[in-house]
Amino acid sequence: MNIKVLDTTLRDGEQTPGVSLTSNEKLRIATKLDEIGVDFIEAGSAITSEGERHSIKEIAKQGFTAEILSFSRPLTGDIDYCIECDVDAVNLVVPTSDLHISDKLKTTHSELIELSNNAVQYCKDHGLTVELSAEDASRSNVDFLKSVYSNAIDYGVDRVCVCDTVGILTPDSSFELFNQLNDFNVPIACHCHNDFGLAVANTLSAIKGGATEIHTTINGIGERAGNTSFEETVVSIDRLLPEFSTNIKINEIYDMSKLVARLTGVYIQPNKAIVGENAFAHESGIHSDGIIKNSATYEPMTPELVGRKRKFVIGKHMGTHGLNNRLKELGLSVDDSQLKQICDDIKVLADKGKTVTDVDLQVIADNVLEINHEDRIKLDEVTIVSGNKVMPTASVKITIDGEEILNAGVGLGPVDAAINAIKSLDIFKDIDLIEYHVDSITGGTDAFIDVIIKLQKADKVVSARGTEADIINASVKAYIAGVNRLLRD
Ligand code: MN
């Protein structure tokens, strides 16, 4: 059975506290949603604002394969704005719980059914596809819910949806509810919220109970605790419910997730299923050893399935097998006693609460292997002039192969100026800075700054780290350490 996916990242997802997307950003997300195979894209709520209508119109005129919907209340004013945006369909949201009908709308059951019927009729008269979403359906009287749906069906509604607006269903009650509603002759959808962390589980149960369409948001963003997560649900259907499928290209899920994280600024928790930083990372020795022998031992799916790569993390739980692998990747070969020494040194560092990076591993390995590298470049001095009225300028004194050199540079900020002053020298040409990452180790303005950079020269890539109270010193130190490593061979 094929399950259709309605993605509401651009409507319910944008209702995430603190999230607001530009038209251009919405169009980029919609384009990717269409590419990845989402069946229906809820592009926004046309009544909201002029800017919102502009975004919806832009998305509607792209000629996407996906159906484009706007959210709408059952009011002709709202629906007229949807018509103006030239969408294919409306998501007509009709509250059905007593709480919403009497306290929010201050109306009666019979008036509500009339309102709903008229709105469906009005949409159909204007050639729109209509999905009728019963808001707060999970707290509604089931018989009343059924009569709202069957009335709407008489008026030509195309699909109906059960909204668990405050996320109070459980996998059992979700199955029960859908099981009672599956004798309508239109597709039935499920829209879940994650207030108790059950949105994905409830959505899977809804499918078992008869839902043939699901509402999701990318990364599960949305009001309060968010909506059903697109990636977790789609991959679960694919891997865990063999009798069901979707039209989603699963191997593009990670790219989709990263795009939305970047544009919304809502970052993903590291331990989030499928798309979290650690979802395919292994540190423990027992696990790493198993994974290297057969990845199925500790991975329920391959990272490639969702467009990712496996990662072995260096740390105190890492066994010698995984460590040896990592050292080989860094081009270092060690004997058994050296390997054990490196392993012990890593544990000492990790016990101090420090994240062990490749840079640390390299330093530890160098010490154990007694490889004493003479650094070709040494920083003697760096001086910065910066402020709100001057172009940030840096002068540096460095020693390269024993020769003292003075140089200066300007930049967009003091760090940029300092790096520019260094890298304009001949020895740095062909070296590209491909990553620059700053962390403040403690909270205050007196915090230590940890800078990690990645440098590339031809096909060789190294990372290096600088930790200082001063961000410029930390950056320059990391940069020069990285260049020295690149120039070592
Ligand atoms: Mn919602």
PDB file of all heavy atoms in Angstrom, residues 271-302:
ATOM      1  N   ASN A 271      21.711  13.319  18.868  1.00  0.00           N
ATOM      2  CA  ASN A 271      21.229  11.933  18.951  1.00  0.00           C
ATOM      3  C   ASN A 271      19.900  11.730  18.234  1.00  0.00           C
ATOM      4  O   ASN A 271      19.229  10.736  18.456  1.00  0.00           O
ATOM      5  CB  ASN A 271      21.115  11.493  20.414  1.00  0.00           C
ATOM      6  CG  ASN A 271      20.139  12.342  21.200  1.00  0.00           C
ATOM      7  OD1 ASN A 271      19.960  13.521  20.899  1.00  0.00           O
ATOM      8  ND2 ASN A 271      19.494  11.765  22.194  1.00  0.00           N
ATOM      9  N   LYS A 272      19.484  12.672  17.362  1.00  0.00           N
ATOM     10  CA  LYS A 272      18.223  12.473  16.634  1.00  0.00           C
ATOM     11  C   LYS A 272      18.390  11.316  15.644  1.00  0.00           C
ATOM     12  O   LYS A 272      19.415  11.200  14.977  1.00  0.00           O
ATOM     13  CB  LYS A 272      17.827  13.743  15.893  1.00  0.00           C
ATOM     14  CG  LYS A 272      16.445  13.640  15.247  1.00  0.00           C
ATOM     15  CD  LYS A 272      16.013  14.973  14.675  1.00  0.00           C
ATOM     16  CE  LYS A 272      14.568  14.989  14.214  1.00  0.00           C
ATOM     17  NZ  LYS A 272      14.123  13.853  13.441  1.00  0.00           N
ATOM     18  N   ALA A 273      17.343  10.476  15.574  1.00  0.00           N
ATOM     19  CA  ALA A 273      17.369   9.338  14.653  1.00  0.00           C
ATOM     20  C   ALA A 273      17.584   9.823  13.222  1.00  0.00           C
ATOM     21  O   ALA A 273      17.169  10.931  12.866  1.00  0.00           O
ATOM     22  CB  ALA A 273      16.054   8.576  14.757  1.00  0.00           C
ATOM     23  N   ILE A 274      18.210   9.009  12.415  1.00  0.00           N
ATOM     24  CA  ILE A 274      18.405   9.198  10.976  1.00  0.00           C
ATOM     25  C   ILE A 274      19.319  10.383  10.624  1.00  0.00           C
ATOM     26  O   ILE A 274      20.274  10.220   9.894  1.00  0.00           O
ATOM     27  CB  ILE A 274      17.061   9.387  10.187  1.00  0.00           C
ATOM     28  CG1 ILE A 274      15.978   8.438  10.692  1.00  0.00           C
ATOM     29  CG2 ILE A 274      17.291   9.298   8.685  1.00  0.00           C
ATOM     30  CD1 ILE A 274      16.200   6.988  10.422  1.00  0.00           C
ATOM     31  N   VAL A 275      19.011  11.582  11.113  1.00  0.00           N
ATOM     32  CA  VAL A 275      19.739  12.765  10.640  1.00  0.00           C
ATOM     33  C   VAL A 275      20.646  13.413  11.679  1.00  0.00           C
ATOM     34  O   VAL A 275      21.395  14.336  11.356  1.00  0.00           O
ATOM     35  CB  VAL A 275      18.768  13.827  10.070  1.00  0.00           C
ATOM     36  CG1 VAL A 275      18.123  13.325   8.789  1.00  0.00           C
ATOM     37  CG2 VAL A 275      17.707  14.217  11.091  1.00  0.00           C
ATOM     38  N   GLY A 276      20.592  12.965  12.938  1.00  0.00           N
ATOM     39  CA  GLY A 276      21.461  13.550  13.968  1.00  0.00           C
ATOM     40  C   GLY A 276      22.922  13.232  13.693  1.00  0.00           C
ATOM     41  O   GLY A 276      23.245  12.208  13.082  1.00  0.00           O
ATOM     42  N   GLU A 277      23.788  14.125  14.169  1.00  0.00           N
ATOM     43  CA  GLU A 277      25.228  13.987  13.961  1.00  0.00           C
ATOM     44  C   GLU A 277      25.738  12.589  14.377  1.00  0.00           C
ATOM     45  O   GLU A 277      26.607  12.004  13.749  1.00  0.00           O
ATOM     46  CB  GLU A 277      25.927  15.094  14.784  1.00  0.00           C
ATOM     47  CG  GLU A 277      27.425  15.213  14.626  1.00  0.00           C
ATOM     48  CD  GLU A 277      27.876  15.521  13.209  1.00  0.00           C
ATOM     49  OE1 GLU A 277      27.090  16.124  12.446  1.00  0.00           O
ATOM     50  OE2 GLU A 277      29.000  15.131  12.858  1.00  0.00           O
ATOM     51  N   ASN A 278      25.176  12.046  15.452  1.00  0.00           N
ATOM     52  CA  ASN A 278      25.676  10.775  15.977  1.00  0.00           C
ATOM     53  C   ASN A 278      24.918   9.536  15.478  1.00  0.00           C
ATOM     54  O   ASN A 278      25.204   8.428  15.928  1.00  0.00           O
ATOM     55  CB  ASN A 278      25.596  10.780  17.518  1.00  0.00           C
ATOM     56  CG  ASN A 278      26.556  11.773  18.120  1.00  0.00           C
ATOM     57  OD1 ASN A 278      27.451  12.267  17.440  1.00  0.00           O
ATOM     58  ND2 ASN A 278      26.366  12.089  19.393  1.00  0.00           N
ATOM     59  N   ALA A 279      23.946   9.730  14.578  1.00  0.00           N
ATOM     60  CA  ALA A 279      23.075   8.607  14.209  1.00  0.00           C
ATOM     61  C   ALA A 279      23.847   7.433  13.596  1.00  0.00           C
ATOM     62  O   ALA A 279      23.396   6.292  13.668  1.00  0.00           O
ATOM     63  CB  ALA A 279      21.969   9.077  13.267  1.00  0.00           C
ATOM     64  N   PHE A 280      25.006   7.729  13.002  1.00  0.00           N
ATOM     65  CA  PHE A 280      25.817   6.651  12.430  1.00  0.00           C
ATOM     66  C   PHE A 280      27.265   6.756  12.903  1.00  0.00           C
ATOM     67  O   PHE A 280      28.191   6.417  12.194  1.00  0.00           O
ATOM     68  CB  PHE A 280      25.747   6.684  10.897  1.00  0.00           C
ATOM     69  CG  PHE A 280      24.354   6.430  10.378  1.00  0.00           C
ATOM     70  CD1 PHE A 280      23.525   7.492  10.047  1.00  0.00           C
ATOM     71  CD2 PHE A 280      23.874   5.140  10.259  1.00  0.00           C
ATOM     72  CE1 PHE A 280      22.230   7.271   9.597  1.00  0.00           C
ATOM     73  CE2 PHE A 280      22.590   4.900   9.809  1.00  0.00           C
ATOM     74  CZ  PHE A 280      21.759   5.967   9.477  1.00  0.00           C
ATOM     75  N   ALA A 281      27.435   7.256  14.143  1.00  0.00           N
ATOM     76  CA  ALA A 281      28.786   7.406  14.697  1.00  0.00           C
ATOM     77  C   ALA A 281      29.009   6.313  15.733  1.00  0.00           C
ATOM     78  O   ALA A 281      28.098   5.949  16.476  1.00  0.00           O
ATOM     79  CB  ALA A 281      28.932   8.786  15.333  1.00  0.00           C
ATOM     80  N   HIS A 282      30.202   5.774  15.754  1.00  0.00           N
ATOM     81  CA  HIS A 282      30.518   4.699  16.694  1.00  0.00           C
ATOM     82  C   HIS A 282      31.776   5.051  17.456  1.00  0.00           C
ATOM     83  O   HIS A 282      32.774   5.439  16.864  1.00  0.00           O
ATOM     84  CB  HIS A 282      30.744   3.379  15.944  1.00  0.00           C
ATOM     85  CG  HIS A 282      29.606   3.032  15.041  1.00  0.00           C
ATOM     86  ND1 HIS A 282      28.469   2.415  15.494  1.00  0.00           N
ATOM     87  CD2 HIS A 282      29.409   3.274  13.722  1.00  0.00           C
ATOM     88  CE1 HIS A 282      27.634   2.251  14.473  1.00  0.00           C
ATOM     89  NE2 HIS A 282      28.176   2.771  13.396  1.00  0.00           N
ATOM     90  N   GLU A 283      31.719   4.915  18.766  1.00  0.00           N
ATOM     91  CA  GLU A 283      32.922   5.150  19.551  1.00  0.00           C
ATOM     92  C   GLU A 283      33.375   3.875  20.248  1.00  0.00           C
ATOM     93  O   GLU A 283      34.545   3.537  20.248  1.00  0.00           O
ATOM     94  CB  GLU A 283      32.695   6.269  20.581  1.00  0.00           C
ATOM     95  CG  GLU A 283      33.974   6.524  21.386  1.00  0.00           C
ATOM     96  CD  GLU A 283      33.837   7.587  22.471  1.00  0.00           C
ATOM     97  OE1 GLU A 283      33.280   8.657  22.177  1.00  0.00           O
ATOM     98  OE2 GLU A 283      34.297   7.335  23.591  1.00  0.00           O
ATOM     99  N   SER A 284      32.403   3.149  20.824  1.00  0.00           N
ATOM    100  CA  SER A 284      32.763   1.993  21.638  1.00  0.00           C
ATOM    101  C   SER A 284      33.574   0.968  20.859  1.00  0.00           C
ATOM    102  O   SER A 284      33.318   0.695  19.681  1.00  0.00           O
ATOM    103  CB  SER A 284      31.488   1.344  22.177  1.00  0.00           C
ATOM    104  OG  SER A 284      31.555  -0.055  22.070  1.00  0.00           O
ATOM    105  N   GLY A 285      34.573   0.407  21.526  1.00  0.00           N
ATOM    106  CA  GLY A 285      35.460  -0.561  20.888  1.00  0.00           C
ATOM    107  C   GLY A 285      34.733  -1.783  20.393  1.00  0.00           C
ATOM    108  O   GLY A 285      34.944  -2.247  19.278  1.00  0.00           O
ATOM    109  N   ILE A 286      33.828  -2.305  21.239  1.00  0.00           N
ATOM    110  CA  ILE A 286      33.099  -3.527  20.881  1.00  0.00           C
ATOM    111  C   ILE A 286      32.267  -3.268  19.619  1.00  0.00           C
ATOM    112  O   ILE A 286      32.255  -4.059  18.678  1.00  0.00           O
ATOM    113  CB  ILE A 286      32.183  -3.969  22.042  1.00  0.00           C
ATOM    114  CG1 ILE A 286      33.036  -4.298  23.274  1.00  0.00           C
ATOM    115  CG2 ILE A 286      31.350  -5.182  21.644  1.00  0.00           C
ATOM    116  CD1 ILE A 286      32.237  -4.385  24.563  1.00  0.00           C
ATOM    117  N   HIS A 287      31.587  -2.102  19.604  1.00  0.00           N
ATOM    118  CA  HIS A 287      30.752  -1.769  18.453  1.00  0.00           C
ATOM    119  C   HIS A 287      31.580  -1.535  17.193  1.00  0.00           C
ATOM    120  O   HIS A 287      31.261  -2.059  16.135  1.00  0.00           O
ATOM    121  CB  HIS A 287      29.902  -0.530  18.757  1.00  0.00           C
ATOM    122  CG  HIS A 287      28.786  -0.796  19.713  1.00  0.00           C
ATOM    123  ND1 HIS A 287      27.602  -0.099  19.681  1.00  0.00           N
ATOM    124  CD2 HIS A 287      28.662  -1.687  20.722  1.00  0.00           C
ATOM    125  CE1 HIS A 287      26.806  -0.563  20.639  1.00  0.00           C
ATOM    126  NE2 HIS A 287      27.429  -1.511  21.286  1.00  0.00           N
ATOM    127  N   SER A 288      32.653  -0.755  17.341  1.00  0.00           N
ATOM    128  CA  SER A 288      33.478  -0.454  16.158  1.00  0.00           C
ATOM    129  C   SER A 288      34.041  -1.729  15.562  1.00  0.00           C
ATOM    130  O   SER A 288      34.041  -1.910  14.349  1.00  0.00           O
ATOM    131  CB  SER A 288      34.641   0.470  16.536  1.00  0.00           C
ATOM    132  OG  SER A 288      34.133   1.672  17.040  1.00  0.00           O
ATOM    133  N   ASP A 289      34.512  -2.618  16.426  1.00  0.00           N
ATOM    134  CA  ASP A 289      35.077  -3.881  15.965  1.00  0.00           C
ATOM    135  C   ASP A 289      34.025  -4.681  15.186  1.00  0.00           C
ATOM    136  O   ASP A 289      34.283  -5.198  14.103  1.00  0.00           O
ATOM    137  CB  ASP A 289      35.586  -4.673  17.184  1.00  0.00           C
ATOM    138  CG  ASP A 289      36.245  -5.974  16.763  1.00  0.00           C
ATOM    139  OD1 ASP A 289      37.039  -5.928  15.800  1.00  0.00           O
ATOM    140  OD2 ASP A 289      35.945  -7.017  17.380  1.00  0.00           O
ATOM    141  N   GLY A 290      32.809  -4.740  15.747  1.00  0.00           N
ATOM    142  CA  GLY A 290      31.719  -5.456  15.087  1.00  0.00           C
ATOM    143  C   GLY A 290      31.370  -4.843  13.751  1.00  0.00           C
ATOM    144  O   GLY A 290      31.215  -5.547  12.744  1.00  0.00           O
ATOM    145  N   ILE A 291      31.259  -3.514  13.738  1.00  0.00           N
ATOM    146  CA  ILE A 291      30.897  -2.780  12.524  1.00  0.00           C
ATOM    147  C   ILE A 291      31.897  -3.034  11.398  1.00  0.00           C
ATOM    148  O   ILE A 291      31.519  -3.237  10.248  1.00  0.00           O
ATOM    149  CB  ILE A 291      30.843  -1.253  12.820  1.00  0.00           C
ATOM    150  CG1 ILE A 291      29.641  -0.925  13.700  1.00  0.00           C
ATOM    151  CG2 ILE A 291      30.844  -0.434  11.542  1.00  0.00           C
ATOM    152  CD1 ILE A 291      28.356  -0.709  12.972  1.00  0.00           C
ATOM    153  N   ILE A 292      33.197  -3.043  11.772  1.00  0.00           N
ATOM    154  CA  ILE A 292      34.226  -3.246  10.752  1.00  0.00           C
ATOM    155  C   ILE A 292      34.090  -4.654  10.154  1.00  0.00           C
ATOM    156  O   ILE A 292      34.246  -4.846   8.959  1.00  0.00           O
ATOM    157  CB  ILE A 292      35.638  -3.007  11.350  1.00  0.00           C
ATOM    158  CG1 ILE A 292      35.799  -1.512  11.672  1.00  0.00           C
ATOM    159  CG2 ILE A 292      36.739  -3.464  10.406  1.00  0.00           C
ATOM    160  CD1 ILE A 292      36.942  -1.178  12.600  1.00  0.00           C
ATOM    161  N   LYS A 293      33.719  -5.623  11.004  1.00  0.00           N
ATOM    162  CA  LYS A 293      33.568  -6.999  10.510  1.00  0.00           C
ATOM    163  C   LYS A 293      32.285  -7.185   9.710  1.00  0.00           C
ATOM    164  O   LYS A 293      32.269  -7.828   8.668  1.00  0.00           O
ATOM    165  CB  LYS A 293      33.615  -7.989  11.674  1.00  0.00           C
ATOM    166  CG  LYS A 293      35.035  -8.102  12.254  1.00  0.00           C
ATOM    167  CD  LYS A 293      35.060  -8.897  13.542  1.00  0.00           C
ATOM    168  CE  LYS A 293      36.501  -9.013  14.072  1.00  0.00           C
ATOM    169  NZ  LYS A 293      36.530  -9.207  15.511  1.00  0.00           N
ATOM    170  N   ASN A 294      31.192  -6.626  10.232  1.00  0.00           N
ATOM    171  CA  ASN A 294      29.905  -6.683   9.519  1.00  0.00           C
ATOM    172  C   ASN A 294      29.015  -5.580  10.068  1.00  0.00           C
ATOM    173  O   ASN A 294      28.607  -5.621  11.227  1.00  0.00           O
ATOM    174  CB  ASN A 294      29.254  -8.058   9.735  1.00  0.00           C
ATOM    175  CG  ASN A 294      27.897  -8.154   9.058  1.00  0.00           C
ATOM    176  OD1 ASN A 294      27.371  -7.152   8.539  1.00  0.00           O
ATOM    177  ND2 ASN A 294      27.325  -9.340   9.056  1.00  0.00           N
ATOM    178  N   SER A 295      28.716  -4.582   9.226  1.00  0.00           N
ATOM    179  CA  SER A 295      28.049  -3.373   9.717  1.00  0.00           C
ATOM    180  C   SER A 295      26.666  -3.670  10.307  1.00  0.00           C
ATOM    181  O   SER A 295      26.159  -2.923  11.144  1.00  0.00           O
ATOM    182  CB  SER A 295      27.940  -2.333   8.607  1.00  0.00           C
ATOM    183  OG  SER A 295      27.016  -2.769   7.631  1.00  0.00           O
ATOM    184  N   ALA A 296      26.066  -4.811   9.899  1.00  0.00           N
ATOM    185  CA  ALA A 296      24.726  -5.136  10.416  1.00  0.00           C
ATOM    186  C   ALA A 296      24.743  -5.424  11.922  1.00  0.00           C
ATOM    187  O   ALA A 296      23.713  -5.376  12.580  1.00  0.00           O
ATOM    188  CB  ALA A 296      24.147  -6.329   9.664  1.00  0.00           C
ATOM    189  N   THR A 297      25.950  -5.699  12.490  1.00  0.00           N
ATOM    190  CA  THR A 297      26.004  -6.027  13.912  1.00  0.00           C
ATOM    191  C   THR A 297      25.462  -4.894  14.783  1.00  0.00           C
ATOM    192  O   THR A 297      24.774  -5.147  15.755  1.00  0.00           O
ATOM    193  CB  THR A 297      27.446  -6.371  14.365  1.00  0.00           C
ATOM    194  OG1 THR A 297      28.317  -5.329  13.902  1.00  0.00           O
ATOM    195  CG2 THR A 297      27.915  -7.711  13.834  1.00  0.00           C
ATOM    196  N   TYR A 298      25.796  -3.647  14.436  1.00  0.00           N
ATOM    197  CA  TYR A 298      25.343  -2.524  15.274  1.00  0.00           C
ATOM    198  C   TYR A 298      24.680  -1.399  14.490  1.00  0.00           C
ATOM    199  O   TYR A 298      24.597  -0.287  14.977  1.00  0.00           O
ATOM    200  CB  TYR A 298      26.511  -1.975  16.114  1.00  0.00           C
ATOM    201  CG  TYR A 298      26.962  -2.951  17.191  1.00  0.00           C
ATOM    202  CD1 TYR A 298      28.122  -3.692  17.046  1.00  0.00           C
ATOM    203  CD2 TYR A 298      26.201  -3.118  18.350  1.00  0.00           C
ATOM    204  CE1 TYR A 298      28.524  -4.593  18.024  1.00  0.00           C
ATOM    205  CE2 TYR A 298      26.591  -4.008  19.327  1.00  0.00           C
ATOM    206  CZ  TYR A 298      27.751  -4.750  19.168  1.00  0.00           C
ATOM    207  OH  TYR A 298      28.133  -5.624  20.137  1.00  0.00           O
ATOM    208  N   GLU A 299      24.244  -1.676  13.268  1.00  0.00           N
ATOM    209  CA  GLU A 299      23.509  -0.655  12.516  1.00  0.00           C
ATOM    210  C   GLU A 299      22.268  -1.305  11.922  1.00  0.00           C
ATOM    211  O   GLU A 299      22.368  -2.286  11.190  1.00  0.00           O
ATOM    212  CB  GLU A 299      24.367  -0.108  11.362  1.00  0.00           C
ATOM    213  CG  GLU A 299      25.391   0.925  11.780  1.00  0.00           C
ATOM    214  CD  GLU A 299      26.293   1.347  10.617  1.00  0.00           C
ATOM    215  OE1 GLU A 299      26.168   0.781   9.509  1.00  0.00           O
ATOM    216  OE2 GLU A 299      27.119   2.241  10.838  1.00  0.00           O
ATOM    217  N   PRO A 300      21.061  -0.763  12.225  1.00  0.00           N
ATOM    218  CA  PRO A 300      19.839  -1.354  11.683  1.00  0.00           C
ATOM    219  C   PRO A 300      19.641  -1.030  10.211  1.00  0.00           C
ATOM    220  O   PRO A 300      18.784  -1.601   9.541  1.00  0.00           O
ATOM    221  CB  PRO A 300      18.734  -0.704  12.528  1.00  0.00           C
ATOM    222  CG  PRO A 300      19.303   0.614  12.921  1.00  0.00           C
ATOM    223  CD  PRO A 300      20.785   0.415  13.073  1.00  0.00           C
ATOM    224  N   MET A 301      20.421  -0.069   9.701  1.00  0.00           N
ATOM    225  CA  MET A 301      20.377   0.270   8.274  1.00  0.00           C
ATOM    226  C   MET A 301      21.736   0.868   7.942  1.00  0.00           C
ATOM    227  O   MET A 301      22.442   1.335   8.845  1.00  0.00           O
ATOM    228  CB  MET A 301      19.276   1.301   7.995  1.00  0.00           C
ATOM    229  CG  MET A 301      19.534   2.639   8.662  1.00  0.00           C
ATOM    230  SD  MET A 301      18.132   3.747   8.562  1.00  0.00           S
ATOM    231  CE  MET A 301      17.766   3.970  10.305  1.00  0.00           C
ATOM    232  N   THR A 302      22.102   0.871   6.675  1.00  0.00           N
ATOM    233  CA  THR A 302      23.388   1.470   6.337  1.00  0.00           C
ATOM    234  C   THR A 302      23.217   2.986   6.273  1.00  0.00           C
ATOM    235  O   THR A 302      22.150   3.476   5.899  1.00  0.00           O
ATOM    236  CB  THR A 302      23.899   0.985   4.966  1.00  0.00           C
ATOM    237  OG1 THR A 302      23.011   1.490   3.958  1.00  0.00           O
ATOM    238  CG2 THR A 302      23.956  -0.527   4.893  1.00  0.00           C
TER     239      THR A 302
END
